[in-house]
Amino acid sequence: MARSSTTCESFLQTPLLVVGFVVLIISLAGFIGACFRVAWALWVYLVVMLFLIATLMGLTIFGFVVTSQGRGVEVPGRVYKEYRLEDYSPWLRNKIKDPDYWRTIRSCILGSKTCAKLASWTPLDYLEKDMSPIQSGCCKPPTSCNYNMATVEPQDTDCYRWSNAPTLLCYECDSCKAGVLEDVRRDWHKLSVLNIVMLVFLIGIYSIGCCAFQNTRRAETDYPYGENRMTKVRPRWDYYWWRWWQDKREQLY
């Protein structure tokens, strides 16, 4: 889910893989600590898991903030939407404007044959059929463009970047970059929802780990209610019962 098959965009993949790998390793430590009553292993598990939960929560909040902008603009008389680069968050815009980064994404779009699917469309199809964000931004000029030689009105800069060559089309248009960002926004939003489910699950497991840690600490002491630290001049009544029971067991065995 963190890697798009159309754009090869994967800047979410690495941090999520790292978080997942650390969760796996530290969960093994917690499992060993709970099964074999190793208190220090459970302590390490709880501390690291707390940081991991905070990291995943931060990534989720960041994802929702970044993906809160965009969503496209309705085109009169058309089913599809068009997308504008300035509608998206500054962080995403700066990412997509990097020449090396965009060169990689452009090559992936060309290799995916996304625009080739529109080659057989008729003018009526453009009126009645929907397009993906990448098709809308990269495979055609903006709908507002007027290529009548008689017009002298200023137009969108993407109108002048358009080319009929299959390897050029509108791949250098801002609308194409906006279409890629819309695709990223949708995928990232779905991933953020999944992260919330994972957070709830991890917090539940973390709570169980806290209980296991307390039980392990109790098992390490002779006194079943924790360490026998006397806080009063006279110990509690159950302490005498406990000592009497221990003495009887020693006499029997």
Side-chain angles (χ1 to χ4, degrees):
M1 289 183 67
R3 181 180 176 86
S4 172
S5 59
T6 303
T7 63
C8 302
E9 186 282 313
S10 60
F11 57 79
L12 274 179
Q13 191 176 39
T14 301
L16 287 176
L17 283 175
V18 171
V19 170
F21 181 75
V22 176
V23 167
L24 174 64
I25 297 300
I26 201 63
S27 295
L28 289 175
F31 179 76
I32 293 172
C35 289
F36 300 100
R37 294 184 177 180
V38 182
W40 67 265
L42 275 174
W43 185 85
V44 171
Y45 165 78
L46 292 175
V47 171
V48 177
M49 278 296 293
L50 185 62
F51 282 105
L52 284 175
I53 289 173
T55 301
L56 196 57
M57 191 176 296
L59 283 173
T60 303
I61 294 172
F62 179 72
F64 276 113
V65 171
V66 167
T67 60
S68 61
Q69 304 177 43
R71 293 185 175 84
V73 179
E74 299 285 347
V75 180
R78 303 289 194 277
V79 179
Y80 57 82
K81 292 182 179 181
E82 290 186 339
Y83 305 90
R84 298 180 299 191
L85 191 59
E86 60 271 17
D87 291 341
Y88 294 87
S89 69
W91 188 85
L92 284 176
R93 291 203 305 267
N94 292 334
K95 186 78 174 176
I96 206 75
K97 285 180 179 179
D98 180 63
D100 294 332
Y101 184 74
W102 178 247
R103 194 178 300 112
T104 302
I105 290 180
R106 185 179 182 275
S107 299
C108 285
I109 296 174
L110 276 168
S112 67
K113 308 292 183 181
T114 301
C115 292
K117 300 172 184 177
L118 306 182
S120 60
W121 279 25
T122 64
L124 185 61
D125 290 332
Y126 281 90
L127 295 174
E128 296 179 344
K129 292 185 178 181
D130 196 7
M131 296 184 187
S132 68
I134 293 177
Q135 287 175 329
S136 176
C138 304
C139 306
K140 66 172 188 59
T143 307
S144 60
C145 293
N146 185 356
Y147 292 103
N148 186 352
M149 298 300 294
T151 184
V152 292
E153 296 180 1
Q155 301 190 79
D156 191 321
T157 53
D158 283 347
C159 298
Y160 305 106
R161 294 171 179 157
W162 164 258
S163 172
N164 285 322
T167 56
L168 297 176
L169 298 180
C170 215
Y171 291 128
E172 296 302 325
C173 299
D174 286 344
S175 61
C176 185
K177 295 175 181 177
V180 171
L181 290 186
E182 176 62 20
D183 195 61
V184 170
R185 188 194 70 81
R186 293 179 181 182
D187 289 342
W188 202 343
H189 186 77
K190 295 175 184 176
L191 203 59
S192 297
V193 173
L194 180 61
N195 282 345
I196 291 177
V197 177
M198 289 301 301
L199 274 172
V200 173
F201 177 75
L202 287 177
I203 291 172
I205 297 298
Y206 185 83
S207 302
I208 297 173
C210 290
C211 295
F213 179 71
Q214 291 178 354
N215 293 334
T216 302
R217 289 294 301 274
R218 288 173 181 170
E220 287 182 342
T221 63
D222 292 333
Y223 195 54
Y225 300 101
E227 294 187 51
N228 184 20
R229 295 178 181 176
M230 195 179 300
T231 58
K232 299 180 181 178
V233 176
R234 294 182 179 179
R236 285 169 31 176
W237 64 270
D238 57 343
Y239 174 74
Y240 293 108
W241 177 87
W242 168 251
R243 295 307 308 173
W244 176 82
W245 175 249
Q246 290 284 28
D247 292 339
K248 287 295 183 180
R249 289 184 60 186
E250 290 177 0
Q251 291 174 6
L252 289 174
Y253 295 104

